[in-house]
Amino acid sequence: MKKGLYLLLAVLCFAACEKKNAPAESEFVDLGLTSGTKWKSLNESNPKDPNGFYNYEETMAQFGQNVPTKEQWQELLDQCTWTWTGKGYRATGPNKKTIDLPAEGYCDCEGLVQNVDTEGNYWASTLDGEDTSWGFSFTADDIFVGHDCAFCNRLSVRLVQ
């Protein structure tokens, strides 16, 4: 009987440790924004790219309507409180719930990875020209919704619902 009890405890401990060490699951978080937009808690990661980045065409083909618009990024910027974490920003919504946006840098059109841990660059679905779109960018000193993101760049992707 004791051996059975010890075996059961060992299995339960192992399962608890495995769950504790498992990667965080991504979920959509309601930050209390006026529009009701929910933001995914983690970035998407492209298995075909060593840094997890996507170009614009890949982003739109895979995620379509769940890619934030220029207006959704602007609402997130305007309605959240932003705190630099040392490797990105924590956005705290009006309801005090949070999401973290890591400063993963970006990959330029020549294939060079730039500004890891100091800059974040995210796609927006809103077009800015024939081969450019709007995006969301930040450094420790500045956060902005910008334009002229060339489709050949590879950026981070955060989804909305």
Side-chain angles (χ1 to χ4, degrees):
M1 180 73 169
K2 282 187 178 182
K3 283 185 182 179
L5 185 57
Y6 287 130
L7 181 59
L8 178 61
L9 286 173
V11 169
L12 290 173
C13 285
F14 179 75
C17 289
E18 284 296 305
K19 188 168 188 159
K20 182 179 178 185
N21 295 326
E25 289 188 35
S26 190
E27 61 183 345
F28 285 95
V29 179
D30 181 355
L31 297 168
L33 303 175
T34 303
S35 69
T37 299
K38 294 178 183 174
W39 287 80
K40 202 150 189 198
S41 59
L42 299 174
N43 289 350
E44 298 304 309
S45 184
N46 186 348
K48 298 177 186 175
D49 183 274
N51 301 293
F53 297 134
Y54 290 87
N55 67 30
Y56 185 81
E57 286 87 0
E58 291 169 328
T59 300
M60 295 310 296
Q62 187 161 350
F63 305 111
Q65 68 183 14
N66 293 107
V67 179
T69 64
K70 168 189 164 190
E71 293 77 18
Q72 287 170 313
W73 279 115
Q74 190 66 55
E75 178 187 49
L76 186 72
L77 178 59
D78 293 344
Q79 294 186 19
C80 288
T81 302
W82 294 85
T83 307
W84 180 252
T85 65
K87 290 194 177 188
Y89 272 98
R90 173 162 293 140
T92 303
N95 66 5
K96 305 299 183 212
K97 291 186 181 176
T98 65
I99 59 169
D100 290 333
L101 295 166
E104 295 179 332
Y106 68 100
C107 185
D108 67 20
C109 293
E110 286 75 43
L112 299 173
V113 176
Q114 306 281 334
N115 304 328
V116 175
D117 292 336
T118 62
E119 187 175 314
N121 296 278
Y122 290 79
W123 287 115
S125 60
T126 308
L127 294 174
D128 180 47
E130 192 172 299
D131 59 358
T132 59
S133 83
W134 286 80
F136 181 77
S137 299
F138 58 79
T139 65
D141 301 320
D142 197 15
I143 309 170
F144 59 95
V145 177
H147 62 95
D148 206 21
C149 298
F151 288 175
C152 57
N153 286 317
R154 302 179 74 75
L155 309 179
S156 298
V157 174
R158 182 62 63 102
L159 302 180
V160 294
Q161 193 178 56

